[in-house]
Amino acid sequence: MRARQPAALAPSAYAPPLLIALLTAFLLAGCAVAPTQGPELSSVRFAPQTLPKGIARSNRDLAQDFLDLTFALESGEPLPALLRYETPVRVYLRSPSLASYRPDLEALLHRLRVEAGIDIAETRDPEQAQIFIEAVPASRIARVFPTAACFIVPGERDWQGFQSRRAETHPRWSEQKSLGEAAIFLPLDTTPQDVRDCLAEEITQALGPANDLYRLPDSIWNDDNFHGAPTAFDMTILRALYQPELRSGMTRKEAAAVLPRVLDKVNPKGRRLPRQPRQPESRVFAEAIEAAQAHDVGRGERLAAARRAVQSAEEMRPIDHRLGVALLTLGRMNLRGDPALAAANFTEAYDLFQTKLGPHDIRTAQAGVHMAALASGLGQPEAAIALADKHVPDAIAGQNAVLVASLLAIKAEALAQLDRLPEAEAARLDSLRWARYGFGDADGSLGREQAQLTALLASQKQ
């Protein structure tokens, strides 16, 4: 399931009048502001992408990741057998409200066919389907899984059937012998970005890798929610899972025995690469970071939890991206009471991500938006513009509309500070387009401001 709270996403020191409250609330709360009506696509849409196959990582490390992803659930419950589909997979969009997301669904299924080699496609006939996708009110999802934005249920076809069962009779993943029918429930009343992210994570997990691991730096199967689209790592795991050497019902020991040759076949890049030292999954870190991002506890408890998450991550050897996640979370918590300390948290996270993951990783871009906001707030507009220009392409590549909107909003304010008003208005307009996708537009305010700016810029060109 996809966690409700995104971690350390989009701050802003400035935004247009109608956008600033949205972005500020997002930064301080650590979560997107949900609209009060169903999702509506804006004028932007991410272009379909196809990533190169394989990943430059030791296949021995990938084997450990594969086993941990496929033989356990997020709850920690072990799975006794490997699960995957042994037949072609057909996906059915049950809810008419999801029809506008059909291009996003087809783009995802195309990637799964090309990059992971899985026979999967949409069907308009529910009798031919194995995976059923239905939109339901977020409040109903929260009553079942309070921390989940969306989730999968094996052995179900629709929400009505799921609700009609007694809790103790719901099918369990650990009872499955192979994958058959499954239902994915998405929130009806959320943003286009959330719907798209839920589609990507839940469909890929419905194919077999049921676990989420905070230790994975480059995977959608990580509850820190930095990745909203499947990565090359994810597709490599899925491609391995659907090789003929593996089959449903295998024990962990049996799967481990054939994984070396499976991974050598699907990931030639990793054949001779040495294993890298890695800190194992940490329950202490997971519980602390989840408590720090909880919606139902007070600020004091969240702040203490964020500090525990930082301490836990600092004790890891080697230190990895989890420290950056904790620092950004702590920085958000410190922002109101101690802005100077928050700035130090954001700066340390940015430096860590650049060192560990590179200057254009999506995590670096997430920290970069904090740095751009700091630069703008300190009266350094040129630095803010440079940071925005550097990381907007990274945010688009990572398919994160919230991050794109925030970077462009900061750039707009920095341009205005330099009295470059036509450029500032253009950046504001671009920010609004992406904000409608990422944050939603419950009352149409962002759409109206977008229309006004469009008219203004058109008149300036005449």
Side-chain angles (χ1 to χ4, degrees), residues 270-317:
R271 287 176 183 170
R272 294 179 177 83
L273 292 178
R275 299 197 70 166
Q276 296 298 314
R278 299 190 297 176
Q279 177 71 24
E281 199 70 8
S282 167
R283 192 70 245 162
V284 173
F285 173 83
E287 291 173 354
I289 201 70
E290 288 164 9
Q293 298 166 352
H295 295 264
D296 55 353
V297 298
R299 182 180 178 279
E301 293 178 65
R302 294 177 63 198
L303 180 58
R307 288 169 177 159
R308 290 197 304 273
V310 170
Q311 180 180 357
S312 172
E314 286 176 337
E315 293 171 353
M316 294 180 181
R317 292 296 180 270

Side-chain angles (χ1 to χ4, degrees), residues 86-155:
E86 299 296 341
T87 64
V89 183
R90 298 296 175 259
V91 180
Y92 178 67
L93 281 179
R94 184 175 294 283
S95 300
S97 62
L98 295 175
S100 57
Y101 294 90
R102 186 161 275 117
D104 298 300
L105 174 63
E106 179 48 44
L108 172 64
L109 299 183
H110 175 77
R111 286 192 61 198
L112 289 167
R113 290 191 294 270
V114 173
E115 297 176 46
I118 298 173
D119 185 350
I120 186 170
E122 186 193 357
T123 179
R124 304 297 178 95
D125 181 0
E127 297 307 313
Q128 300 297 318
Q130 287 74 41
I131 297 176
F132 301 83
I133 303 174
E134 185 171 353
V136 298
S139 59
R140 296 186 184 180
I141 291 177
R143 284 198 290 269
V144 179
F145 291 111
T147 62
C150 40
F151 64 97
I152 315 162
V153 181

Side-chain angles (χ1 to χ4, degrees), residues 169-247:
T169 66
H170 286 157
R172 297 175 61 84
W173 286 109
S174 57
E175 296 169 349
Q176 307 302 304
K177 305 301 181 185
S178 66
L179 294 180
E181 291 182 339
I184 294 173
F185 300 121
L186 311 178
L188 174 66
D189 41 355
T190 190
T191 68
Q193 181 79 63
D194 283 345
V195 172
R196 193 177 189 279
D197 290 354
C198 275
L199 280 172
E201 180 166 345
E202 301 307 318
I203 289 174
T204 55
Q205 289 202 299
L207 293 171
N211 202 359
D212 277 275
L213 300 171
Y214 280 105
R215 77 165 186 262
L216 299 177
D218 55 349
S219 175
I220 197 173
W221 306 318
N222 185 326
D223 273 339
D224 64 20
N225 288 352
F226 277 86
H227 288 277
T231 65
F233 169 89
D234 301 326
M235 290 299 186
T236 300
I237 294 293
L238 286 169
R239 192 171 188 87
L241 177 59
Y242 280 81
Q243 292 302 302
E245 294 88 343
L246 294 167
R247 65 181 184 280

